[in-house]
Amino acid sequence: MFHFLVCSQRTLGVRLGIRRPCSSYGEEGHVAAVKTHEDSITQLKMEGATAKNIGFGRLHRIGKKRHSGGEKVTRGSKRAVCQLVLERFDQQYGEELGDSWASVRSVLLDPASWQHGVLLNRFAAATDAERALLSQGFSTLLPRREGPEGDSRPLPSEADLAPPPPPLQCYIHPRPTRFPSPAHRAGQLKPYYLLNAASLLPVLALQVGDGEKVLDLCAAPGGKALAVMQCATPAFLCCNEPDSHRRERLAKTLESFLPRWMSSRVLVSAQDGRSFGQSEVGKYDKVLVDAPCSNDRSWLFSSADQQMEQRFKERSRLPRLQVQLLRSALSAVRPGGAVVYSTCTMSSTENFAVVEAVLRDCPEAEPEDLQEEIALPLSTHFSFRVGGQVTHPQPLQPQSVRASSRDHKLGILVLPQPRKTWGPMFVSRLRKRKNK
């Protein structure tokens, strides 16, 4: 079992359609949408799927629900689109994204076109899964490092405290091919985790090294924490989640993928993220803030039109919460350490504007350019918007993103595009200056 550090808090329950618990962060957190990027089971259920475990030899077929009433049903998909949200998106993103919004819109309205990633678990025997992925046309997102005997790697053990891990082993497919959910087998760790591949970018930006102390400030349901453990062996990983229901789900995820001997390095806490930094000043080398946000994919398919006006008002309060969380993270990280801020929305007020607001208030924070580190190397798989400027689906060219280094340092945004349907995912990295 993983250790729990439970702090006193008010628990008012979890509303449908939120990404983070409303009880944890007050009204500002109400509209935060369900975290489908990291929880493929939830995503598949939203699409009408049944959570059956099937063999590697055949793909998971997704049953489509029938919808009735006055909602619009998109062509090629049985999922109902909330017309009020679509109209709001047309207004907001038509202005913010310009000509790129038309192609982004077409992808968001067509769930059948969405691609899916598979993250292998280095702590489990995943050879069969890897063979099945290769046989079905999946390929690795990141380059592999081959050992002296090719693919054969011993599983990490408590005795050796885990050998140097390989790069994140995420497999992707050029088409919207779904891999089956991993079967639950008593006494065995799950061999892989299903996810939107763009959700790995914040973990790559965090650059976690062996022996570092890491904080995942908004950790549930646990996908990014799992990814951290796949690419490094930190001395300590604190996974914070103030809501009891989501925290229970987080713990179950960790127990399903991490061996028991890792429990001494992984702690699940229940603090309010806004005040976490005040109680843990300068304790961590790296901090991830995968913040509550208006999840565009989920919000577009919300079915309760009568609640939308209230949700629009609540959505406008989200940036305040996000600023508070990012400030808290900067307090928790040591001088010289790094904080990564991420969301799964395209809203500039929840992304670039939040980073700018924190930089104005926190002179010790300095933004770092992720263009050459992440956007350029991965532009063959993702379509990026860098520093507020939209780039087209073709690979980025260095000379096309040199105009304003300050803007580029504010962050990068993955935009869903045809044949590159990953995202949305915003990523920004701030470095806390060392004391002079």
Side-chain angles (χ1 to χ4, degrees):
M1 295 291 292
F2 287 87
H3 303 294
F4 289 83
L5 175 62
V6 182
C7 302
S8 61
Q9 60 170 322
R10 254 185 342 170
T11 303
L12 303 178
V14 180
R15 285 177 46 176
L16 293 177
I18 65 172
R19 185 178 178 209
R20 302 295 185 202
C22 58
S23 58
S24 307
Y25 299 115
E27 291 183 352
E28 294 90 343
H30 286 184
V31 74
V34 176
K35 196 172 187 177
T36 54
H37 284 177
E38 295 186 339
D39 189 347
S40 61
I41 303 301
T42 300
Q43 181 176 1
L44 294 178
K45 286 181 178 179
M46 289 172 58
E47 296 176 15
T50 56
K52 294 181 179 178
N53 295 317
I54 64 176
F56 292 124
R58 59 192 179 93
L59 297 177
H60 192 52
R61 295 189 179 276
I62 308 301
K64 299 294 184 179
K65 291 183 178 179
R66 296 182 179 273
H67 298 271
S68 59
E71 295 172 322
K72 177 182 177 181
V73 177
T74 60
R75 193 172 189 176
S77 169
K78 299 295 184 181
R79 297 181 63 185
V81 173
C82 179
Q83 199 62 37
L84 288 177
V85 173
L86 181 59
E87 291 172 1
R88 182 63 62 94
F89 280 8
D90 284 337
Q91 178 182 358
Q92 178 182 353
Y93 295 141
E95 179 179 348
E96 293 183 8
L97 302 180
D99 294 340
S100 294
W101 169 235
S103 55
V104 172
R105 186 183 194 271
S106 67
V107 172
L108 292 180
L109 291 175
D110 185 15
S113 71
W114 297 354
Q115 293 163 278
H116 305 271
V118 182
L119 178 65
L120 296 188
N121 183 11
R122 72 181 177 109
F123 299 103
T127 304
D128 291 343
E130 189 170 15
R131 289 172 179 168
L133 287 164
L134 293 172
S135 69
Q136 294 175 17
F138 284 80
S139 59
T140 55
L141 173 66
L142 302 172
R144 301 191 53 155
R145 283 201 304 263
E146 299 291 346
E149 298 182 7
D151 291 337
S152 60
R153 295 188 300 268
L155 293 180
S157 65
E158 185 174 9
D160 56 26
L161 293 180
L168 284 171
Q169 290 300 296
C170 179
Y171 281 80
I172 59 175
H173 201 282
R175 297 187 299 277
T177 301
R178 293 188 179 93
F179 206 61
S181 302
H184 175 75
R185 295 184 174 88
Q188 296 184 24
L189 298 175
K190 292 185 177 181
Y192 58 88
Y193 186 82
L194 304 179
L195 78 176
N196 185 314
S199 66
L200 294 177
L201 300 185
V203 177
L204 294 176
L206 201 59
Q207 294 183 328
V208 176
D210 293 342
E212 291 187 321
K213 296 179 181 178
V214 184
L215 168 62
D216 188 349
L217 191 60
C218 311
K224 291 182 176 63
L226 291 180
V228 166
M229 300 305 293
Q230 300 306 312
C231 60
T233 305
F236 180 73
L237 171 63
C238 178
C239 301
N240 186 65
E241 176 53 57
D243 180 79
S244 60
H245 298 291
R246 292 177 59 80
R247 190 168 60 251
E248 180 180 358
R249 181 178 166 198
L250 167 64
K252 288 181 179 179
T253 299
L254 296 175
E255 291 169 3
S256 296
F257 289 88
L258 301 181
R260 288 191 176 185
W261 58 265
M262 291 293 294
S263 63
S264 61
R265 294 168 177 255
V266 180
L267 179 144
V268 177
S269 72
Q271 296 192 52
D272 185 325
R274 295 170 296 185
S275 58
F276 195 106
Q278 298 175 9
S279 60
E280 305 279 351
V281 177
K283 180 177 179 179
Y284 296 92
D285 301 294
K286 305 287 173 61
V287 180
L288 174 63
V289 186
D290 188 39
C293 71
S294 48
N295 182 320
D296 294 335
R297 287 201 187 205
S298 295
W299 220 38
L300 188 58
F301 294 94
S302 301
S303 58
D305 280 6
Q306 66 274 15
Q307 300 177 7
M308 279 302 121
E309 287 303 323
Q310 179 62 27
R311 288 190 178 184
F312 289 144
K313 294 179 181 178
E314 293 167 346
R315 188 189 196 207
S316 67
R317 292 192 285 265
L318 272 173
R320 179 173 178 267
L321 167 63
Q322 293 157 345
V323 167
Q324 291 172 328
L325 291 170
L326 188 49
R327 286 175 181 163
S328 177
L330 284 168
S331 296
V333 76
R334 64 168 175 80
V339 174
V340 168
Y341 173 77
S342 63
T343 73
C344 53
T345 179
M346 297 174 290
S347 173
S348 61
T349 59
E350 297 182 46
N351 295 333
F352 299 103
V354 167
V355 176
E356 286 184 310
V358 170
L359 289 174
R360 285 195 300 268
D361 297 339
C362 303
E364 73 277 14
E366 182 177 7
E368 295 189 336
D369 196 341
L370 297 176
Q371 169 205 332
E372 294 187 4
E373 180 182 320
I374 291 180
L376 285 173
L378 295 179
S379 60
T380 55
H381 300 299
F382 302 98
S383 178
F384 290 97
R385 179 177 184 244
V386 182
Q389 296 182 354
V390 177
T391 63
H392 294 287
Q394 66 267 23
L396 297 173
Q397 299 299 322
Q399 63 271 21
S400 67
V401 284
R402 300 286 189 188
S404 174
S405 60
R406 173 69 176 181
D407 284 347
H408 297 155
K409 288 184 178 181
L410 292 178
I412 56 177
L413 173 65
V414 178
L415 293 177
Q417 294 285 341
R419 296 176 298 281
K420 294 182 181 182
T421 62
W422 314 109
M425 180 59 61
F426 175 79
V427 186
S428 176
R429 186 172 68 209
L430 304 181
R431 182 76 57 178
K432 189 173 184 177
R433 292 186 176 93
K434 294 182 179 180
N435 297 326
K436 294 183 179 179

